Amino acid sequence: MLKIKDLHAGIDDKEILRGIDLEIKPGEVHAIMGPNGSGKSTLSSVIAGNETYEVLEGDILLDNQSILELAPDQRAHKGIFMSFQYPIEIPGVTTTNFIKTAINAKRKAQGLEDLPAKDMLQMIREKSELLEMDRKFLSRSLNEGFSGGEKKRNEIFQMAMLEPKLAILDETDSGLDIDALKIVANGVNKLKTKDNAVIVITHYQRLLDYIVPDFVHVLHDGKIVKSGGKELAHELEDKGYDWLK
Amino acid sequence: MKQLQEKLLASFLAFENKGNIDLDSKVHEIRTQAIEAFEKKGFPTKKDEEWKYTSLNSILNTDYSIFPKNDASIDLKDVKQYFLHEIESYKIVFIDGIYSSFLSDTTHEGADICLLSAALKKPKYKMIIDHYFDTITSKDDSLTSLNTAFSKEGAFINIPKNTVVEKPIQIIFFSTGSEKEMMLNPRNLIIVGENSHVQVYERHQSLNGSVILTNCVLEIFAHKRAIVDYYKVQNDRENASIIDNTYVQQKQNSIVSVNTFTFGGKLTRNNIEVYHEGENITSNLNGITIIGNKQHVDNHTLINHKFENCESHELYKGIYDDSATGVFNGKVIVDQKAQKTNAFQQNDNVLIGDKASINAKPQLEIFADDVKCSHGCTIGQLDESALFYLQSRGIPKKEAKALMLFAFGNDVVEKIKIPALKTRITKLIAEKLDVELGFEM
């Protein structure tokens, strides 16, 4: 599904990713771990198409087609979704209206009519229940005044609504208490099918107790320095990152 | 500029003689004084403190016609879009400065919603007009004086006490381009009696690309506990300019809101001055400006708190694209006597165009010691990380920008109390931002 080939990327002449190779197949869950500053968030931003970063070398292929030339919204239309580490607050735009606009933009790109309001509401109801969300959040301005946990839950709610092919969860566990973590993880697991894939980017092993990965990759200094199964996460938890340097 | 001034002075006598109008009324005397005041001061220049950031040079070197030659007529179907046609309303409509009875819908039942020239001819109304006319305007503002000198036509709205005007009133000025270059001096007078309530929608619209300069003056008198909601929609063509002077006097417990939506026009200058004459008054001034190209908008406000326990709220938002320029000058004066005043002013701006600029100047003059006054001003650009966030959800960049800009202006839109107008403004904003979005926030 996703193939990353010798990816070099950076910001303002500073190279952050220094040759990443990664292949993700449908149905798989990959965890990317690593210390602060190793390039984890850069990797997710580059896959999602953040124009702040410049790709210097290599390629990213989705279903065997390069996506490097695509704008973030076009990548979203192709099924890429990124849950932000720090979701942006947008005063004046309600969560409901935002998600409606997003879904209909995607449908428009696919040549479909707007989703009828009735179906939209039905879908919003189902997905918000899945995330055990208080419905009042949906009519509030997007993320404005939300707690860290509420923001993250809102991210997964958006993911549930958009039904992506590839979901990247960037430090979704940061700022979450254990109850919120379970709800979010549970939501992700319920959305998992044999046709979609998830990249979990995390600093700690904690989240991986709930979203169990098929593969764990350790990122250090812009390169994947070790890959393995889920047991690698436990090993990192015990030993830290230093032994891999 | 000098030439236009000469022409205006020369035209004054012709104007007075031509009209066969009210030579016995006080208004005639006021006009004569006004033309003298204008002659003395001339047009304002950038040397005047209040005109530091707005130059009139680009619109005053034009040989404007002062008197429209013929009665142009227009078809309702061609101009329907400029009315709030979805709802029932009173209408006072002028074409090239001349009243159009065909397009208007006036009344004398329960309230007088009619035109100034006709009212001046009836003794009953003449007394009222003599009592109010030109009593709260600035005598230092030469453009107001100029308007006063040529004032003859405009809306006259007189709401007696204890009256809720059920339908909004639309005051619309069309210009048809019957003259290649035309200057209009419409004059509106609105008196709202005790406990009465009225909603007014005002628009100046040119129907083709001819050069128009509108120098408009509005006086609003709000008596005790009166409620006035006033909406100005400025979305004119690129050769049309307006200098819009609004003077408001409020008696105790009255609430007056003036909302200004500026989406187009070559040069737009709004002067709004509010004077308190009683306690427990509320004044609300709100505005959204969305302009581009080389358009210029200048919002000048003055609120004078003169009595205790009054409040004022100002919220102005501006979005400037291309090389557009803006000015916000908000003056709040709190007299020594006006204790327990709450005065809040906020002016937020987004510059989208690389060459766009805004001059913002809050001016608070506070002589009382027990007051709550604040002002804030922000000038920013669209947040790139927020744009990426919206795009990453599948919303294309143009729509994402529009959504953010709409959200930015939304709290002003939310203040519109006529639902049909709110829908209209929302549509105009989407049009202005060049997107097809519902924006149901």
Side-chain angles (χ1 to χ4, degrees):
Chain A
M1 174 189 285
L2 186 81
K3 255 187 218 145
I4 300 176
K5 290 184 188 166
D6 190 30
L7 183 70
H8 294 251
I11 187 166
D12 298 335
D13 298 334
K14 193 180 156 222
E15 191 174 348
I16 302 171
L17 300 180
R18 303 190 304 146
I20 304 261
D21 287 285
L22 186 64
E23 181 167 2
I24 294 170
K25 296 197 174 76
E28 291 178 351
V29 176
H30 289 243
I32 294 177
M33 302 181 72
N36 287 331
S38 57
K40 301 191 299 290
S41 286
T42 302
L43 179 60
S44 52
S45 289
V46 170
I47 299 171
N50 190 340
E51 285 153 14
T52 313
Y53 299 94
E54 198 186 341
V55 173
L56 306 165
E57 245 185 280
D59 206 350
I60 305 173
L61 306 170
L62 184 71
D63 298 331
N64 295 318
Q65 280 183 316
S66 174
I67 57 168
L68 286 186
E69 295 300 318
L70 300 182
D73 48 297
Q74 294 169 314
R75 298 187 195 198
H77 299 157
K78 291 209 177 289
I80 291 178
F81 176 90
M82 171 175 151
S83 164
F84 281 54
Q85 184 177 1
Y86 304 107
I88 313 291
E89 297 189 9
I90 304 184
V93 181
T94 65
T95 303
T96 306
N97 190 50
F98 171 63
I99 202 70
K100 269 200 273 193
T101 309
I103 285 179
N104 285 330
K106 183 175 178 179
R107 291 177 67 93
K108 193 177 170 191
Q110 293 167 338
L112 298 169
E113 293 285 306
D114 281 4
L115 190 66
K118 201 175 124 263
D119 299 355
M120 185 77 79
L121 284 175
Q122 172 70 22
M123 192 173 173
I124 288 173
R125 190 172 308 130
E126 281 171 19
K127 306 293 184 180
S128 61
E129 277 167 15
L130 178 74
L131 274 303
E132 299 176 40
M133 276 173 86
D134 193 334
R135 296 276 294 285
K136 73 173 192 272
F137 283 110
L138 299 174
S139 53
R140 279 173 47 184
S141 282
L142 187 63
N143 292 326
E144 192 185 30
F146 285 23
S147 72
E150 287 157 358
K151 283 181 183 168
K152 294 299 170 68
R153 214 183 288 196
N154 194 350
E155 291 292 284
I156 305 305
F157 165 71
Q158 292 172 34
M159 168 181 155
M161 291 294 292
L162 293 165
E163 300 175 328
K165 203 182 280 178
L166 173 71
I168 307 162
L169 310 181
D170 187 7
E171 309 250 358
T172 295
D173 49 339
S174 70
L176 286 191
D177 63 37
I178 194 71
D179 292 330
L181 185 76
K182 277 185 192 164
I183 293 166
V184 165
N186 189 28
V188 173
N189 289 331
K190 279 188 183 157
L191 296 167
K192 190 80 209 54
T193 69
K194 64 177 176 30
D195 299 317
N196 60 24
V198 180
I199 300 176
V200 182
I201 289 178
T202 182
H203 200 87
Y204 304 105
Q205 186 266 336
R206 184 174 79 141
L207 179 63
L208 304 180
D209 286 342
Y210 300 97
I211 305 173
V212 181
D214 301 304
F215 301 95
V216 174
H217 311 278
V218 180
L219 200 60
H220 180 255
D221 209 9
K223 283 181 188 162
I224 291 175
V225 290
K226 196 168 175 62
S227 295
K230 65 183 177 213
E231 62 290 340
L232 180 56
H234 290 281
E235 210 176 333
L236 288 168
E237 188 76 359
D238 294 338
K239 296 187 189 168
Y241 289 107
D242 283 346
W243 62 285
L244 289 168
K245 282 181 186 170
Chain B
M1 198 184 233
K2 208 73 192 160
Q3 273 172 350
L4 180 61
Q5 190 175 334
E6 298 290 317
K7 180 172 182 174
L8 285 161
L9 291 171
S11 303
F12 179 69
L13 274 181
F15 168 78
E16 280 261 276
N17 294 333
K18 195 181 182 180
N20 167 29
I21 41 168
D22 53 69
L23 292 182
D24 58 333
S25 94
K26 209 175 124 193
V27 173
H28 166 63
E29 197 185 309
I30 292 171
R31 283 196 197 105
T32 311
Q33 286 164 4
I35 197 74
E36 282 166 12
F38 173 70
E39 183 172 12
K40 221 162 149 190
K41 290 205 78 162
F43 286 110
T45 66
K46 288 183 98 170
K47 284 181 196 144
D48 296 276
E49 185 62 28
E50 299 301 326
W51 291 85
K52 199 171 166 187
Y53 301 109
T54 296
S55 165
L56 294 175
N57 286 338
S58 67
I59 56 170
L60 292 182
N61 288 320
T62 303
D63 185 26
Y64 292 106
S65 299
I66 320 286
F67 309 115
K69 280 195 197 81
N70 44 4
D71 304 46
S73 69
I74 39 183
D75 263 344
L76 178 60
K77 68 170 173 30
D78 296 332
V79 294
K80 199 178 161 193
Q81 55 172 313
Y82 303 115
F83 291 95
L84 290 176
H85 55 79
E86 311 88 335
I87 51 170
E88 295 222 354
S89 66
Y90 295 108
K91 297 178 198 77
I92 313 173
V93 184
F94 303 89
I95 301 171
D96 295 334
I98 295 167
Y99 176 65
S100 162
S101 59
F102 171 65
L103 292 173
S104 296
D105 189 353
T106 59
T107 188
H108 288 290
E109 278 170 42
D112 300 303
I113 298 167
C114 58
L115 55 152
L116 192 65
S117 63
L120 273 168
K121 285 179 188 150
K122 294 184 187 149
K124 181 167 100 176
Y125 299 127
K126 213 185 82 182
M127 264 173 59
I128 299 171
I129 295 170
D130 279 352
H131 182 72
Y132 289 100
F133 183 82
D134 206 42
T135 53
I136 52 172
T137 55
S138 161
K139 301 296 177 277
D140 290 330
D141 182 63
S142 62
L143 287 157
T144 298
S145 298
L146 179 64
N147 173 284
T148 302
F150 286 93
S151 62
K152 174 183 158 189
E153 200 52 292
F156 173 63
I157 297 170
N158 180 32
I159 315 292
K161 60 182 174 185
N162 305 323
T163 307
V164 174
V165 182
E166 300 284 353
K167 302 187 273 185
I169 302 168
Q170 306 191 46
I171 309 175
I172 305 194
F173 298 88
F174 291 113
S175 49
T176 62
S178 63
E179 303 284 345
K180 212 169 84 218
E181 292 145 344
M182 184 155 67
M183 180 175 187
L184 297 166
N185 284 288
R187 179 72 171 226
N188 302 311
L189 177 60
I190 299 178
I191 302 145
V192 186
E194 284 180 30
N195 303 316
S196 291
H197 181 189
V198 67
Q199 295 178 316
V200 186
Y201 163 77
E202 179 190 329
R203 186 159 184 174
H204 301 259
Q205 187 65 47
S206 84
L207 300 173
N208 60 26
S210 62
V211 178
I212 301 293
L213 171 58
T214 301
N215 177 38
C216 188
V217 172
L218 160 69
E219 288 177 276
I220 299 175
F221 296 85
H223 285 276
K224 290 179 190 169
R225 293 175 298 279
I227 302 174
V228 182
D229 292 321
Y230 207 97
Y231 303 93
K232 292 166 183 284
V233 176
Q234 301 168 332
N235 186 30
D236 218 337
R237 289 168 194 260
E238 50 193 72
N239 281 332
S241 297
I242 184 167
I243 295 156
D244 192 16
N245 299 287
T246 304
Y247 297 92
V248 182
Q249 184 189 75
Q250 290 185 253
K251 293 281 166 66
Q252 69 191 61
N253 295 87
S254 63
I255 305 172
V256 173
S257 308
V258 180
N259 307 280
T260 310
F261 303 94
T262 310
F263 303 138
K266 181 180 183 179
L267 183 152
T268 305
R269 161 79 174 218
N270 293 303
N271 284 325
I272 305 179
E273 299 189 4
V274 181
Y275 297 93
H276 289 179
E277 296 295 343
E279 295 189 10
N280 300 310
I281 288 166
T282 303
S283 309
N284 304 308
L285 303 183
N286 306 303
I288 301 183
T289 298
I290 307 176
I291 53 167
N293 300 328
K294 287 185 169 176
Q295 293 172 317
H296 179 83
V297 172
D298 180 344
N299 281 304
H300 254 70
T301 65
L302 163 67
I303 299 177
N304 190 349
H305 286 266
K306 300 205 273 190
F307 289 84
E308 290 190 2
N309 296 311
C310 294
E311 53 186 274
S312 62
H313 303 268
E314 285 184 81
L315 179 61
Y316 277 83
K317 304 255 180 161
I319 298 170
Y320 299 88
D321 203 349
D322 307 318
S323 307
T325 48
V327 179
F328 175 78
N329 190 121
K331 193 190 270 190
V332 177
I333 303 173
V334 181
D335 290 357
Q336 195 170 7
K337 203 174 133 190
Q339 299 294 354
K340 312 273 184 216
T341 288
N342 283 325
F344 306 108
Q345 183 188 87
Q346 185 67 35
N347 171 230
D348 297 319
N349 303 288
V350 177
L351 300 181
I352 309 178
D354 290 342
K355 290 181 182 153
S357 68
I358 166 94
N359 284 295
K361 185 177 168 198
Q363 232 179 318
L364 272 58
E365 296 175 13
I366 300 168
F367 301 98
D369 49 18
D370 184 13
V371 298
K372 266 189 217 154
C373 295
S374 72
H375 68 85
C377 174
T378 62
I379 299 172
Q381 275 150 339
L382 278 183
D383 181 352
E384 289 292 330
S385 55
L387 266 182
F388 172 58
Y389 186 65
L390 295 184
Q391 276 189 280
S392 78
R393 297 300 182 255
I395 302 172
K397 196 166 194 169
K398 195 168 95 176
E399 276 76 12
K401 275 185 180 174
L403 197 63
M404 285 176 61
L405 291 173
F406 188 84
F408 167 76
N410 192 45
D411 40 356
V412 177
V413 176
E414 282 303 317
K415 293 183 194 294
I416 303 174
K417 295 198 183 81
I418 304 172
L421 180 60
K422 195 168 169 176
T423 310
R424 180 68 63 88
I425 294 292
T426 305
K427 252 171 89 179
L428 280 176
I429 292 177
E431 222 175 275
K432 204 65 207 169
L433 300 174
D434 195 23
V435 290
E436 287 173 37
L437 286 181
F439 290 137
E440 316 135 49
M441 297 293 161

